[in-house]
Amino acid sequence: MSDEEVPAEEVAEEVEEEVAEMNVLDALKEVLKKALVHDGLRKGLHECAKALDRRSARLCCLAKDCENEEYKKLIRALCAEGEVSVIMVDSGKDLGAWCGLAKLDADGEVKKAVRTSCAVITDFGEETRALSVLLDYLEKQQDE
């Protein structure tokens, strides 16, 4: 019986380490995937603008590498009007992959990703550790 208890303790330690190491981008990836599963994710300018205009948006992700300044200005204005938090993501390809706009190979690695410059979450889905990390980060950003 003592042999069975040791692995259980090791597993518990590994889980605690993973929780402690979760950063904002990892949390964002997980939250986007949960929102996609629960049909609460809008991708692209048209869908995002509609969700922001209806005030059903809870969180907006915008790519920093978007070339069109008018696009970014519109999304930021709609977010400000609806008091929606904006998270800037480095790459539109990464954002597209996180939103499910990618083809995966047999190993689960991204083989080809479609770029998207904007994604809006209308429904977070279920409460997870990643969601609480992300919401804490957003609260800290608003305080500053």
Side-chain angles (χ1 to χ4, degrees):
M1 290 190 135
S2 62
D3 292 337
E4 293 175 10
E5 293 175 10
V6 175
E9 291 173 6
E10 290 175 4
V11 170
E13 289 175 12
E14 289 175 13
V15 170
E16 289 175 14
E17 289 174 11
E18 288 176 15
V19 169
E21 293 177 6
M22 181 175 279
N23 65 13
V24 177
L25 285 180
D26 292 337
L28 180 62
K29 286 181 206 176
E30 192 172 319
V31 169
L32 285 170
K33 286 183 182 174
K34 290 286 183 193
L36 181 64
V37 169
H38 291 279
D39 198 34
L41 186 63
R42 306 289 174 255
K43 306 167 287 268
L45 179 64
H46 187 71
E47 288 183 26
C48 291
K50 285 196 306 187
L52 288 165
D53 202 31
R54 288 186 188 135
R55 312 236 185 216
S56 63
R58 312 264 307 270
L59 176 68
C60 180
C61 301
L62 189 61
K64 290 179 184 175
D65 66 349
C66 177
E67 299 96 24
N68 194 342
E69 286 300 318
E70 293 171 349
Y71 185 109
K72 292 197 277 190
K73 197 173 188 181
L74 172 68
I75 295 298
R76 284 192 182 118
L78 287 171
C79 287
E81 185 180 304
E83 297 177 358
V84 176
S85 300
V86 179
I87 292 184
M88 298 301 288
V89 179
D90 292 330
S91 169
K93 284 228 184 239
D94 289 341
L95 184 58
W98 299 341
C99 292
L101 299 174
K103 291 190 178 189
L104 304 176
D105 62 9
D107 300 328
E109 298 295 319
V110 176
K111 185 167 71 172
K112 180 180 178 185
V114 176
R115 194 177 91 195
T116 185
S117 294
C118 184
V120 168
I121 297 175
T122 57
D123 179 18
F124 288 119
E126 56 197 54
E127 288 283 329
T128 60
R129 169 96 175 110
L131 180 59
S132 61
V133 167
L134 192 61
L135 293 176
D136 289 344
Y137 170 76
L138 292 172
E139 282 181 22
K140 289 177 187 173
Q141 291 297 315
Q142 287 179 347
D143 292 343
E144 293 175 0

